[in-house]
Amino acid sequence: MKIKLQYKRNSKARLYEGKMNGTLKKWTSLFRGYQHRWVILTNDGCLKYYETEPDDLTEPPRGQIKLSVISNEGQKFSFRAENEEEADQWIAVIEDIKSGARDDLSDEEEKEEEDETDSVQDEEGNKEVVTQEETNFERRFTSLKGVVKTIMSQEQVTAQFRRLMIDSKRKNFQVVAAIDFGSSYTCCAFSFKSEYKKDPLDIHVVTIDESHKEPTILLLNQEGQFDSFGSKAEEKLTQLQQEDPDGANDWYLFRNFKMQLYNNKSLSKLLKFKDLGGKSMKADYVFALCIEYIYNMVVEKIFDKDSSLKDYDIRWVLTCPAMWNESARQFMLEAAEESGIDRKSITLVLEPEAAAICCKCLETDKKLKGTKGTHVFATGSRFLIVDLGGGAVDITANEVLDSGQLKEIYNASGGPWGGNMINHKIWIVIYDFFGNAVVQNFMKEHGDDYLQMIRAVEEEKKNYDFDERFYVDVPDSLLDEAKKLNADLVYDKNKDAVKMVKGRLQIEKKMVNAIFKECIDTLCKNIKDLLSKKETEDVSSLIMVGGYSSCTLLQKTLKDMFSDLKIIYPPDPETTVIKGAVIMGHMNTPIARRLARYHYGIAINSELDLVESFNGSLAEQTDTEPEFLAFIKKLDPIKVNDVIAEYDVPVSSGQEKVIIEVYASDSNVPPKVVSDAHCRKIGTIRIKMSNINDDTMLKVGMSCDGTEFKAVARDYTTGRCFAGICRFLE
């Protein structure tokens, strides 16, 4: 590799007339690993990278990293040189640029460095240890963050301080692509900005393999590498189990794993998922592989329509349940980043809100179907959106504002009452009928037949009309296991309601209807409880979306129980969320206000005589137990993209960082101390500083873009701003 070191200090501008360029390896994604890129470091501190050396420097790069831009999220960009000497050359030039800029500019937050040596996978999937020199090279690239001029008026500093809290997403995009990564099924869609302006509903729903919605199933080979996704994954494993049963046991099949993030209060990056056979794999790796598979497919479709586009022309929208906590949301964001999507291009949206936005467009387009007419989205109207997925049910309560935006009137609710709850209860009947040991051995020894039976239960559930018996095809292998292990008890339990008829398990209508009714009654009771709240007393409509919403018994029960409400069913309930996600990606602020699900606060030491300020790092320890200082209370309104709290933090000369612990409580009133039984630590805000030469005070401000908290600090003495990193996943 040839690296040109043509740079020259201009004493006035303190920048470089020349530039450095050459070949480096850039980390791209789990599928592709490190890929060669031609990298140019421009004299204004911009790192541009191309597939190959460009013939013309006016050619748009594949991507670029502006070293002069603040990153709230602590983005990481990993590069590798071929050897230590070349790495040192790049480091020297970048550090020289950085030190030169310091004469006129102030440093921003730097991502915290770790001391240990990194371990990564190479392109062949083999483990290799990155040398300390290479590791430092990657870290020092990572730590080069933006700077802010200090020669500003107080008003300018304050304005910038607030802007930095809310202005982090890339604004200049040509396409919005969305991924609805569901517990049972996954779908994706996109639309061009030009199409959206003409018709927001002009959306391309991508066909994954053979359908718009594919089962969320991942198959990895014996080495843990990606093989296939969706129905192809099941088919491939079935084929392997038939051809080489012993070898097939070493493969990994994951399904219904998203539900493990639901209300997981101890979620961490160390979480592992168990596959169909009980083998474990890191959860973030499983998520990232699924996302990257869909990502690659969507990008290919987009580029087929316009080959001139670049990766950074696409804004990516990921859906998530409204009931997910902060750590689950961050888990999804980091998995998407691991898959190769630029963090600045990613936006999270809540699934029921996406459905509401789609329905609003459908009503404008006169395609919304209701039992008592439409006008559900007239100014001032209030409604519930009930998203009935396979795993969970999410419910949000909203009101339409004069601006056309939505605001939340009661915090999101829901539970694990989706369609899979019925599947689970049907399988309990199967276990009871054949015996636990029989079914467990059947699953272990006849994985292909077990997968076939899973599909049979799902298909029968979707097609069941409540006036007939429920039938499940039973493989011969299950009958053989029953006769072998449990001969005396076969067909004994529930014998009046369950029996074998011509190779099929027949469940009487009364028993199956009772299963459906139990699940539906659980859902309806929770809707009824929500409607009994004072905040929802003016709700006039229920909007039902998701595949489970087409269940005829559910529709009849809702009609009987909520006869005084309009009950709305969009024409294509299974794609309502994904279409709404695409539409939201094009909008600036579709949701104007949400309500806090918890009391959110920080820990302070009252003995330090801090009235309007606190020492977030708790560096000065006292005998007094840390108190809970709320920055937002439960059910308080959170205005999206506005400052929700500002606090002063004392900082000593030479102090390099502030760590603020964030707590949450679901009690009715805020706790007094952080050790309260209903209070738990949910994360930290880390602010890394430089050149703090005198004791000073930082003003720390927090904002929320609707799905993520953000923080920025400003030094009272110098006016410099530092971006904080909110970590809700350890």
Side-chain angles (χ1 to χ4, degrees):
M1 180 182 76
K2 294 182 179 180
I3 300 178
K4 301 176 183 178
L5 297 174
Q6 301 176 354
Y7 61 93
K8 177 180 178 182
R9 174 73 65 87
N10 178 313
S11 58
K12 182 177 181 180
R14 298 193 183 278
L15 292 172
Y16 293 86
E17 294 176 347
K19 52 182 170 285
M20 185 170 179
N21 56 72
T23 301
L24 292 173
K25 279 189 171 182
K26 180 182 182 298
W27 175 260
T28 55
S29 70
L30 291 171
F31 277 35
R32 300 183 296 275
Y34 282 91
Q35 297 289 312
H36 283 98
R37 297 285 184 261
W38 184 266
V39 180
I40 297 176
L41 178 59
T42 65
N43 57 5
D44 60 353
C46 185
L47 206 65
K48 299 181 178 181
Y49 49 94
Y50 300 78
E51 292 280 0
T52 58
E53 183 177 4
D55 296 328
D56 182 357
L57 289 181
T58 62
E59 177 184 332
R62 181 178 180 89
Q64 60 185 17
I65 305 163
K66 292 184 178 180
L67 304 181
S68 59
V69 176
I70 278 183
S71 172
N72 299 40
E73 294 116 338
Q75 279 182 293
K76 180 177 179 179
F77 300 96
S78 296
F79 292 84
R80 280 191 192 165
E82 292 295 329
N83 53 56
E84 179 181 347
E85 180 183 359
E86 292 171 352
D88 286 342
Q89 289 177 324
W90 280 93
I91 291 170
V93 174
I94 294 173
E95 286 294 315
D96 204 12
I97 289 177
K98 187 178 180 184
S99 62
R102 276 177 177 162
D103 295 340
D104 288 334
L105 304 173
S106 65
D107 292 317
E108 281 307 321
E109 175 275 329
E110 298 181 345
K111 184 173 173 63
E112 207 166 355
E113 298 176 1
E114 298 178 0
D115 294 330
E116 65 270 22
T117 301
D118 293 339
S119 175
V120 301
Q121 283 190 329
D122 63 16
E123 286 83 350
E124 288 73 39
N126 301 316
K127 285 286 184 181
E128 63 174 338
V129 177
V130 183
T131 66
Q132 191 64 44
E133 289 76 19
E134 290 175 318
T135 303
N136 286 339
F137 177 52
E138 293 181 17
R139 289 176 184 156
R140 293 166 81 174
F141 256 126
T142 300
S143 69
L144 295 176
K145 298 298 179 185
V147 290
V148 181
K149 291 184 178 180
T150 59
I151 306 174
M152 291 182 177
S153 67
Q154 185 71 15
E155 292 76 15
Q156 287 174 316
V157 170
T158 301
Q160 184 184 58
F161 171 67
R162 289 177 172 262
R163 178 182 62 80
L164 290 174
M165 276 191 283
I166 63 176
D167 187 18
S168 65
K169 299 297 181 184
R170 180 174 285 119
K171 299 293 192 298
N172 192 17
F173 61 92
Q174 300 302 316
V175 187
V176 170
I179 301 175
D180 182 19
F181 190 81
S183 301
S184 299
Y185 292 91
T186 293
C187 60
C188 49
F190 66 90
S191 75
F192 291 83
K193 184 183 290 187
S194 57
E195 295 171 330
Y196 169 78
K197 289 179 178 179
K198 295 178 182 177
D199 178 6
L201 291 169
D202 187 2
I203 296 169
H204 307 275
V205 180
V206 178
T207 299
I208 308 175
D209 296 329
E210 297 180 358
S211 65
H212 290 330
K213 298 195 78 169
E214 273 291 296
T216 305
I217 302 172
L218 175 69
L219 180 66
L220 309 180
N221 64 19
Q222 301 97 320
E223 288 75 37
Q225 297 170 334
F226 179 89
D227 180 86
S228 49
F229 179 86
S231 55
K232 286 186 176 179
E234 278 190 323
E235 293 167 4
K236 175 69 174 288
L237 186 61
T238 298
Q239 181 183 354
L240 289 169
Q241 289 169 330
Q242 292 170 348
E243 296 174 354
D244 181 13
D246 293 335
N249 290 334
D250 296 328
W251 288 59
Y252 299 78
L253 186 81
F254 297 93
R255 61 182 301 146
N256 293 332
F257 49 85
K258 182 183 172 185
M259 282 300 292
Q260 294 189 45
L261 302 188
Y262 186 83
N263 271 353
N264 188 333
K265 294 183 179 180
S266 59
L267 184 62
S268 78
K269 294 197 72 173
L270 301 178
L271 176 67
K272 291 187 176 182
F273 290 148
K274 288 188 176 182
D275 82 328
L276 199 65
K279 301 181 294 298
S280 297
M281 185 68 69
K282 282 197 68 179
D284 57 351
Y285 179 70
V286 172
F287 265 95
L289 286 176
C290 294
I291 293 172
E292 185 170 357
Y293 174 77
I294 302 298
Y295 162 81
N296 290 335
M297 183 184 306
V298 176
V299 167
E300 182 181 351
K301 300 290 186 183
I302 292 172
F303 289 172
D304 282 346
K305 289 185 173 293
D306 188 345
S307 59
S308 67
L309 294 172
K310 302 295 182 182
D311 290 349
Y312 53 77
D313 290 321
I314 307 172
R315 168 179 285 178
W316 288 91
V317 179
L318 301 179
T319 68
C320 70
M323 292 297 291
W324 268 12
N325 58 26
E326 287 74 21
S327 59
R329 293 176 187 181
Q330 187 165 340
F331 186 97
M332 179 66 87
L333 284 169
E334 294 191 5
E337 191 174 16
E338 187 85 0
S339 74
I341 306 178
D342 182 359
R343 180 69 170 266
K344 276 187 167 294
S345 299
I346 306 172
T347 299
L348 283 183
V349 301
L350 305 186
E351 290 163 2
E353 290 180 347
I357 293 297
C358 179
C359 289
K360 189 172 184 295
C361 290
L362 286 169
E363 184 186 59
T364 301
D365 202 46
K366 309 300 182 186
K367 293 181 180 178
L368 196 64
K369 298 176 181 178
T371 57
K372 295 183 180 179
T374 55
H375 306 295
V376 180
F377 294 95
T379 298
S381 64
R382 294 184 165 198
F383 57 88
L384 298 188
I385 281 276
V386 185
D387 181 16
L388 298 125
V393 172
D394 260 354
I395 309 172
T396 58
N398 299 92
E399 179 182 331
V400 182
L401 302 178
D402 291 338
S403 62
Q405 297 170 294
L406 304 182
K407 76 172 183 180
E408 195 174 45
I409 58 174
Y410 197 80
N411 59 342
S413 60
W417 321 309
N420 290 345
M421 184 178 181
I422 294 172
N423 297 47
H424 175 69
K425 291 186 177 295
I426 295 294
W427 273 96
I428 290 177
V429 173
I430 295 172
Y431 270 88
D432 288 344
F433 185 75
F434 290 104
N436 187 68
V438 170
V439 179
Q440 290 289 343
N441 205 59
F442 164 69
M443 292 166 55
K444 181 179 178 181
E445 299 296 333
H446 308 280
D448 54 339
D449 289 340
Y450 173 53
L451 287 174
Q452 179 183 336
M453 199 167 175
I454 288 176
R455 290 194 292 267
V457 170
E458 173 67 18
E459 285 302 312
E460 182 67 14
K461 180 198 74 175
K462 289 198 300 188
N463 298 323
Y464 183 63
D465 66 3
F466 306 100
D467 288 326
E468 300 177 354
R469 298 182 178 98
F470 191 98
Y471 291 96
V472 181
D473 291 334
V474 177
D476 291 340
S477 55
L478 176 54
L479 297 176
D480 292 340
E481 290 294 336
K483 293 173 183 176
K484 180 171 62 177
L485 298 179
N486 203 18
D488 294 335
L489 297 178
V490 170
Y491 317 146
D492 189 48
K493 192 165 185 180
N494 295 323
K495 61 183 180 181
D496 293 333
V498 186
K499 61 183 69 174
M500 286 295 301
V501 178
K502 297 181 179 179
R504 295 195 298 173
L505 191 68
Q506 174 184 292
I507 308 175
E508 289 299 322
K509 178 175 64 174
K510 184 177 180 180
M511 175 178 254
V512 181
N513 286 358
I515 290 174
F516 273 82
K517 188 174 186 304
E518 179 185 354
C519 299
I520 290 170
D521 286 350
T522 301
L523 167 63
C524 291
K525 179 182 181 301
N526 281 273
I527 294 175
K528 190 173 183 179
D529 289 344
L530 181 57
L531 290 171
S532 68
K533 306 294 183 184
K534 181 180 179 181
E535 294 83 354
T536 61
E537 60 186 9
D538 293 327
V539 164
S540 60
S541 306
L542 294 179
I543 303 176
M544 314 300 294
V545 300
Y548 187 22
S549 67
S550 59
C551 172
T552 55
L553 182 59
L554 171 63
Q555 292 182 357
K556 182 179 183 303
T557 305
L558 289 171
K559 184 178 180 181
D560 293 341
M561 185 172 290
F562 305 106
S563 57
D564 57 330
L565 299 178
K566 297 176 185 175
I567 303 180
I568 310 297
Y569 300 95
D572 188 4
E574 293 191 344
T575 62
T576 305
V577 170
I578 190 65
K579 290 178 180 178
V582 172
I583 295 168
M584 288 182 77
H586 285 287
M587 303 173 74
N588 289 328
T589 312
I591 309 299
R593 190 193 79 175
R594 289 194 177 91
L595 301 179
R597 289 180 61 194
Y598 307 110
H599 302 290
Y600 293 96
I602 55 175
I604 65 167
N605 278 327
S606 59
E607 284 190 2
L608 298 180
D609 194 26
L610 301 172
V611 180
E612 295 297 331
S613 60
F614 65 90
N615 185 343
S617 61
L618 299 178
E620 299 181 57
Q621 296 297 325
T622 70
D623 294 332
T624 304
E625 186 177 7
E627 295 181 3
F628 179 90
L629 177 63
F631 60 79
I632 188 100
K633 295 181 180 179
K634 186 176 179 180
L635 294 181
D636 275 358
I638 300 175
K639 190 174 181 181
V640 174
N641 286 341
D642 198 7
V643 179
I644 59 175
E646 290 181 294
Y647 294 108
D648 293 332
V649 182
V651 176
S652 303
S653 175
Q655 188 170 334
E656 295 183 348
K657 61 184 175 181
V658 169
I659 300 177
I660 301 170
E661 296 181 341
V662 182
Y663 291 80
S665 171
D666 59 1
S667 59
N668 292 328
V669 295
K672 293 183 178 181
V673 292
V674 297
S675 62
D676 185 279
H678 295 281
C679 191
R680 59 188 176 87
K681 180 182 173 183
I682 62 170
T684 57
I685 299 171
R686 298 176 181 176
I687 302 169
K688 193 167 184 182
M689 306 161 294
S690 61
N691 298 333
I692 302 296
N693 299 320
D694 301 297
D695 292 352
T696 185
M697 194 75 74
L698 289 183
K699 178 174 282 294
V700 177
M702 297 188 65
S703 69
C704 183
D705 69 356
T707 56
E708 299 175 73
F709 283 114
K710 297 177 182 176
V712 172
R714 174 169 59 84
D715 183 348
Y716 271 105
T717 304
T718 65
R720 292 183 301 165
C721 290
F722 305 94
I725 298 178
C726 298
R727 295 289 307 171
F728 296 104
L729 186 68
E730 301 298 335

